[in-house]
Amino acid sequence: MTPDDKRLIGLYLGIAVLALIGTWSQNLAFYRETGSFSGLSFIEACFANHAAASISIDILFFGLAAFIFMGIEAKRLNMRWFWLYVLLSFLIAVSVTFPVFMAVRQRHLARAR
């Protein structure tokens, strides 16, 4: 593994950590504010106004494209546990799981060289 590979993996993992902090600080604030963390109330809040709906739709379609990319790359590189990244995207956040996938992908690419 080259120093560039290590830096890129570190960058991806750094993004994942920041995304985890950013998304879950807001998720917990939502819970404190509403007293509820049911999926339905969260989804309703995602479409509370046009700005929230725009961002929500943007993230949904980014997630769809990311899942397709991850599936193709996982198959091409014989990466196991692809389904776990998709599942965790819904339970944690796609902004966390996608960079983690990219870090693991970079490790696979480095090992293949």
Side-chain angles (χ1 to χ4, degrees), residues 61-73:
F61 281 99
F62 167 78
L64 179 60
F67 298 153
I68 292 168
F69 173 78
M70 290 189 303
I72 291 167
E73 283 295 282

Side-chain angles (χ1 to χ4, degrees), residues 79-101:
M79 294 172 63
R80 298 179 344 187
W81 309 103
F82 155 71
W83 60 270
L84 190 58
Y85 295 103
V86 175
L87 176 65
L88 290 176
S89 293
F90 292 102
L91 298 175
I92 301 172
V94 71
S95 63
V96 175
T97 58
F98 185 68
V100 170
F101 174 85

Side-chain angles (χ1 to χ4, degrees), residues 6-23:
K6 290 178 183 178
R7 280 192 288 275
L8 190 54
I9 289 169
L11 178 62
Y12 286 138
L13 294 177
I15 291 169
V17 168
L18 292 174
L20 181 65
I21 293 166
T23 57

Side-chain angles (χ1 to χ4, degrees), residues 22-44:
T23 57
W24 276 89
S25 65
Q26 296 307 305
N27 290 344
L28 294 173
F30 177 80
Y31 175 75
R32 283 191 303 274
E33 184 180 279
T34 64
S36 171
F37 197 68
S38 74
L40 185 56
S41 64
F42 190 84
I43 291 170
E44 287 173 352

Side-chain angles (χ1 to χ4, degrees), residues 27 30 39-57 59-60:
N27 290 344
F30 177 80
L40 185 56
S41 64
F42 190 84
I43 291 170
E44 287 173 352
C46 289
F47 293 89
N49 59 52
H50 295 296
S54 174
I55 292 296
S56 297
I57 292 167
I59 292 167
L60 286 171

